[in-house]
Amino acid sequence: MGLLSGSLLALAACGGQNAAPGSSSDAGSGLQANIGPIDVPAGVETTQCVVVPLGNTEDVVLNGYTINLSEGSHHLIVYMTTDAEQDEPINCAPFTGLALGTDEPIVFAGKKQSTWAFPAGIAIDIPAHQMIKIEGHYINTTAGDLQGTGNVSFDTTPKATAPTFQPASFNFFGTTNITIQPNSTYSTGPLFQAGIAGTHFISVNTHQHRLGSGIQVWAGNPGDQTNQIADDMDWSNPSWKLLAPPFDFDGTNGLTFQCAWTNTTDQVVGFGESALNEMCFVGGYYYPSHGMNLCLDGQCRIRP
């Protein structure tokens, strides 16, 4: 399997169906970005994207944010992008910006509500007049219609007056080698991925879908499972936590991770973008930034 799965490549383009508008605004204490409401009928799964101006008229640094997602939300990603404005949501493929490296993620949310603040001296550098893409993935498992929404409130400081900082970006490590037989359990076993030498890992989050029964993550040398930094048994409430102190990557060490599933269906389940498929990802912010660092099955690509 190459760096990108065939399904990610096949679903890379957005297109087609209009829904409710997306927006961004300056809400006084900080910038905000919104998607929805998007109608999600019973039994429907959809991913919708909007591209809107962030609304920053000057260079700013992102110090943190608060996320609020509606019932039925599977994940929400906010990217910095060079795409043209598209404030009416359109059908799009999940994880497109990550898969193709076309956009720089600044927010990844896999839970309904979360708040994040960078440690002092670390932030994300956002140029003036930045366009952002908001990707909302929704699945309605209820008997009635849902209205999918997502809101992100950004805590920013004008770059001209901000204290000295080191820029941060994302690591995303994972595997596409997932085959879970019907009515059975499966584990990847320990997988190792080295980090970028001279960088510092400051947060950890995990991502599985509905059959996930656990992700464990350790920071250290290959084969070393003594320094556990995540042990997530509930796929719907993944870790999103600060590592204090940070873990320092030296080019040899990195993250060991292991994903497990319990397949309660009568179908073989494999890797895929749908919430009815499965994923195994660990990630988090690191600094100083070399760009988004996506590593799948041991193959890495850095988006500068």
Side-chain angles (χ1 to χ4, degrees), residues 40-44 71 140-146:
V40 187
V44 167
E71 183 182 0
N140 185 353
T141 59
T142 74
D145 286 1
L146 292 177

Side-chain angles (χ1 to χ4, degrees), residues 4 17 48 72-73 78 83 87 93 124 145 147 158 160 176 180 185-186 208 211 227 234 241 266 301:
L4 301 176
Q17 178 181 339
Q48 300 281 309
S73 296
V78 180
D83 290 353
D87 62 6
I124 290 180
D145 286 1
Q147 294 293 302
T176 61
I180 316 164
T185 60
Y186 176 71
Q208 285 184 294
L211 301 179
N227 180 24
D234 180 1
K241 63 182 181 182
D266 294 325
R301 183 190 60 210

Side-chain angles (χ1 to χ4, degrees), residues 223-241:
D224 182 356
Q225 292 175 246
T226 58
N227 180 24
Q228 188 170 66
I229 59 174
D231 185 11
D232 290 347
M233 297 296 105
D234 180 1
W235 68 269
S236 66
N237 188 32
S239 288
W240 187 252
K241 63 182 181 182

Side-chain angles (χ1 to χ4, degrees), residues 49-260:
C49 291
V50 296
V51 178
V52 293
L54 179 58
N56 58 317
T57 57
E58 59 184 329
D59 296 347
V60 297
V61 298
L62 176 61
N63 306 307
Y65 48 81
T66 297
I67 300 165
N68 287 284
L69 307 181
S70 64
E71 183 182 0
S73 296
H74 182 259
H75 76 252
L76 182 140
I77 306 176
V78 180
Y79 306 89
M80 291 193 288
T81 186
T82 57
D83 290 353
E85 184 169 358
Q86 172 64 52
D87 62 6
E88 291 292 325
I90 57 175
N91 289 327
C92 60
F95 295 98
T96 302
L98 297 181
L100 300 183
T102 52
D103 305 306
E104 177 75 15
I106 56 175
V107 173
F108 181 91
K111 56 199 317 180
K112 299 299 184 293
Q113 197 283 331
S114 56
T115 297
W116 168 258
F118 284 103
I122 305 168
I124 290 180
D125 195 351
I126 301 181
H129 308 292
Q130 179 64 54
M131 300 296 292
I132 58 169
K133 178 193 289 182
I134 310 171
E135 173 190 304
H137 185 175
Y138 306 95
I139 183 166
N140 185 353
T141 59
T142 74
D145 286 1
L146 292 177
Q147 294 293 302
T149 63
N151 169 264
V152 184
S153 297
F154 299 97
D155 173 17
T156 62
T157 302
K159 188 174 180 179
T161 59
T164 301
F165 70 96
Q166 295 197 65
S169 192
F170 267 113
N171 286 310
F172 286 102
F173 301 161
T175 181
T176 61
N177 295 323
I178 301 170
T179 303
I180 316 164
Q181 296 300 320
N183 300 301
S184 65
T185 60
Y186 176 71
S187 173
T188 60
L191 304 172
F192 176 79
Q193 178 58 58
I196 301 171
T199 65
H200 312 282
F201 193 52
I202 63 169
S203 70
V204 61
N205 67 292
T206 66
H207 187 70
Q208 285 184 294
H209 291 174
R210 65 194 175 110
L211 301 179
S213 57
I215 298 184
Q216 297 171 287
V217 188
W218 301 266
N221 293 316
D224 182 356
Q225 292 175 246
T226 58
N227 180 24
Q228 188 170 66
I229 59 174
D231 185 11
D232 290 347
M233 297 296 105
D234 180 1
W235 68 269
S236 66
N237 188 32
S239 288
W240 187 252
K241 63 182 181 182
L242 176 69
L243 298 180
F247 183 76
D248 301 329
F249 289 135
D250 61 14
T252 300
N253 61 16
L255 302 184
T256 297
F257 58 98
Q258 177 171 299
C259 295

